[in-house]
Amino acid sequence: MRRACALVICWLAASNVSAQSLPGTQPLEMKGDLARHMLNGIDKYLTRQIAIVAKEREKYWNPDYSSAGAYDVSVKTNRDRLKKILGVVDARVPVTMEYVATESQPALLAETDAYRVQAVRWPVLPGVYGEGLLLEPKGKTVAAVVAIPDADQTPELIAGLAPGLDPDAQFARVLAEQGCRVLVPTLINRQDKHSQSEQHKRFTNQTHREFVYRMAYQMGRHIIGYEVQKVLAGVDWFAQKKDRLPIGVFGYGEGGSIALYSAALDTRIQSTVVSGHFGPREDVHNESIYRNVWSQLKHFGDGDVIRLIVPRGLQVEQAAFATGDPPAARQGRSGAAPGTFAVAPMKSVVNEIDRVMSTVPKEPNFPRQSVGFWWEVSAKGNITDANVFRGPGFDGTYTAFLKQLRTDFKKELGKPIEVRRKSFDPDARQKRQFDQLVEFTQKLLPESKHRRQEFFWSKLDTSSLDKFKKSQEPLRDYFSKEIIGQLPEPNVPPNPRTRLLYDTPKWSGYEVVLDVYEEVISYGILLVPKGMKPSEKRPCIVCQHGLEGRPTDVCDPTKKTQYYNSFGAQLADQGFVVFAPQNPYIFKNDFRQVVRKANPMQLTLYSFIVRQHQRILDWLKTLDFVDGSRIAYYGLSYGGKVAMRIPAILLDYCLSICSGDFNEWIWKNITLEWSNSYMFSGEYEMYEFDLGNTFNYAEMAALIAPRPFMVERGHADPVGLDEYVAFEFAKVRRFYAQLGIADRTEIEWFSGGHEINLRGTLAFLKKHLQFPK
């Protein structure tokens, strides 16, 4: 008790000497919350980068306009990249059209003098079907069209079988009356009724689209990509018909997005309408999270997607579109990511089209089709107000769209449709569509170990440590650039500033700020043992806090919290130099929205943490009392996530300890078989694109090897299950043994929860840091 009181007195006394700085540094004079300053700086950096990457996209394109065929070849790399990031990577199954009927409900739903409407489904991927309506003309069929409603519209609505739309906006019906064969798919909607696990009594307010997005994103797929696949399966069916009709796609709202990407990926589509969706994507981080596409802004604005459609036809409609948010959180349902959906302002749509089309030359051998832009006002008002627009479906749009399908538009509409189906619940169809995508994605989980074997393990040469290290480097480079996202090297001097924060009998503690980029800092607390001999160099341990944590949680000797047990202070008491960084996963959805802003530029929060820790390591190695070859990493919880990723990239960390996080990480993120899965939480930033097919935690540990690696695991820690932790670590232990370095990896199990235990880990640190000698 006396010792604790003495520490409190020493810490309080530090306020009288707070102006003192570490020798060789400038005084730290920054005021306010340095963690907030850090996060705000990262946010500002990303805002600047959004404008920069838009100007740099041109370097990824090398179009050849000498002919349509040459152009198509010249943009193949861009088209392949778009397929990859949209998750359009699975081979579609052979397609047939199946008519959906029951004893009480025939497949024929309605009929007019001009066409029939039938309930249909068509196979897309194993176990996944498109489902909706087929409108088949009775007379001459002039074209084939996939008509894609908004996510919250049913196929019946745009086919005129259900009330709620003006006749002109029933674009599936209008096109059928023009003699088009029309296929109308069901999209996954924005309700949350099925976003849950009945088995585990976990219910969320995530939209059905977000629920599928989360699990798909981790597995290198996407809700957008799945729906593009459904459209392209419809195109497959059209293309195999004997009449070989010209093919078009017409989409509204979310369906407009699917139409845009479908046309960009499939050159069989000759004419396209994007209604109520097209516009600049630079603000996509504020849109619904299921629109988050990894690296999109780095390579593709909507205008750049046009490059993959020309010289074929594209019509863009500035149509009315309701704004919206996820279903409200309520008792028993929560966890959805914030975000809205709305139509872009008209001026920005025009600018986005002109940005790209102004670069497309009118070459004699390149049949350049102009991109049409259409709008109609339904009420008096300023055209900057989205509410004054009509739509979807304008006369000009229909005329231009059908002209490119080699037919004419006839304005007159037929009589209202007589619906034979008297009762219908679209939710049953919606649930089938939702369940199929969930099941398909969940089946990717057990298959992913084979993908990782092919991608990762098969490329490692374990015949010697030297050959192993050489074989690691291409995988490390891929991990750094394609999974984590790589920022440029810091472009400003570190300019270290410090001020004394703690003064205890055994060590002094300094707040430290280092510059990384303009307005982006690295901040932490350095604990320096007292009584070191002149020229003595000691090992340093970087001790990392978890979610919503701060360096003081780690270093304050008076603040032995439930989780951290002041482990940084305890290690300083043992004579280690300690540095406790502030990582930017703090301030709840503020930092999560920073992640949202980073993802479309092929960046993550870890992209910044890598450069911040690189700057920390470089600075620590300049200190006279730090042995730069013995800098270790030890992190709890979110800090444990960092323990898996950052030392896998930064080789200056001589060892890594993951506490309270090590897991069968891919399973934890997407499984519906465990109540603590991130599928049911509000931590929507956890998902890393295509991680499931490339790097689980065993693969990350293999990038840390041959350096020592340890896991600290409390049996009662709710972040994982012992069985899954043991399963994943067994792969690490086996791999280290194959390299002949089994003594460099350990796991400590202890009776406890989500906390630093500092028993086995302390022994591990002393052993591998050779301290004290």
Side-chain angles (χ1 to χ4, degrees), residues 107-112 115-118 161 417-421:
L108 183 61
L109 306 180
E111 187 172 9
T112 73
Y115 61 91
R116 298 181 180 89
V117 183
Q118 301 185 84
L161 273 64
I417 303 172
E418 181 180 347
V419 182
R420 297 186 179 184
R421 184 171 57 186

Side-chain angles (χ1 to χ4, degrees), residues 374-392:
W374 308 93
W375 56 276
E376 292 182 14
V377 174
S378 61
K380 292 182 179 180
N382 193 317
I383 62 171
T384 60
D385 181 1
N387 294 325
V388 306
F389 291 102
R390 286 186 57 253

Side-chain angles (χ1 to χ4, degrees), residues 638-660:
Y638 225 120
K641 299 176 196 352
V642 175
M644 300 308 305
R645 292 161 177 80
I646 307 310
I649 296 172
L650 298 180
L651 299 181
D652 283 339
Y653 278 121
C654 70
L655 67 79
S656 183
I657 299 175
C658 175
S659 178

Side-chain angles (χ1 to χ4, degrees), residues 279-296:
R281 296 265 78 86
E282 277 71 20
D283 200 37
V284 69
H285 56 279
N286 288 322
E287 297 180 34
S288 302
I289 193 170
Y290 54 77
R291 293 182 175 181
N292 179 50
V293 176
W294 173 249
S295 78
Q296 177 186 23

Side-chain angles (χ1 to χ4, degrees), residues 135-173:
L135 287 68
E136 188 74 56
K138 291 182 175 180
K140 181 182 178 181
T141 306
V142 298
V145 178
V146 183
I148 316 167
D150 177 54
D152 286 339
Q153 293 178 328
T154 64
E156 289 75 15
L157 193 65
I158 67 167
L161 273 64
L165 277 184
D166 291 338
D168 285 350
Q170 297 167 1
F171 54 96
R173 173 193 175 189

Side-chain angles (χ1 to χ4, degrees), residues 638-687:
Y638 225 120
K641 299 176 196 352
V642 175
M644 300 308 305
R645 292 161 177 80
I646 307 310
I649 296 172
L650 298 180
L651 299 181
D652 283 339
Y653 278 121
C654 70
L655 67 79
S656 183
I657 299 175
C658 175
S659 178
D661 183 69
F662 190 87
N663 232 305
E664 211 288 21
W665 181 250
I666 309 305
W667 172 83
K668 177 179 178 177
N669 273 268
I670 78 167
T671 185
L672 303 179
E673 299 300 318
W674 185 46
S675 61
N676 284 355
S677 167
Y678 284 122
M679 283 299 301
F680 308 117
S681 83
E683 294 170 87
Y684 55 84
E685 84 287 357
M686 287 296 174
Y687 297 89

Side-chain angles (χ1 to χ4, degrees), residues 501-522:
L501 181 64
Y502 304 117
D503 188 15
T504 78
K506 291 188 175 181
W507 46 267
S508 300
Y510 297 86
E511 286 186 292
V512 180
V513 169
L514 305 169
D515 292 332
V516 183
Y517 302 105
E518 181 185 350
E519 295 189 90
V520 178
I521 63 168
S522 181

Side-chain angles (χ1 to χ4, degrees), residues 33-36 523 525 543-555 559 564 580-583 586-587:
D33 189 334
L34 296 184
R36 172 58 74 179
Y523 156 63
I525 296 175
C543 297
Q544 191 65 66
H545 63 76
L547 180 66
E548 300 296 332
R550 293 177 180 267
T552 50
D553 296 328
V554 171
C555 296
K559 192 177 181 181
Y564 300 105
Q582 174 70 63
N583 274 356
I586 190 170
F587 305 118

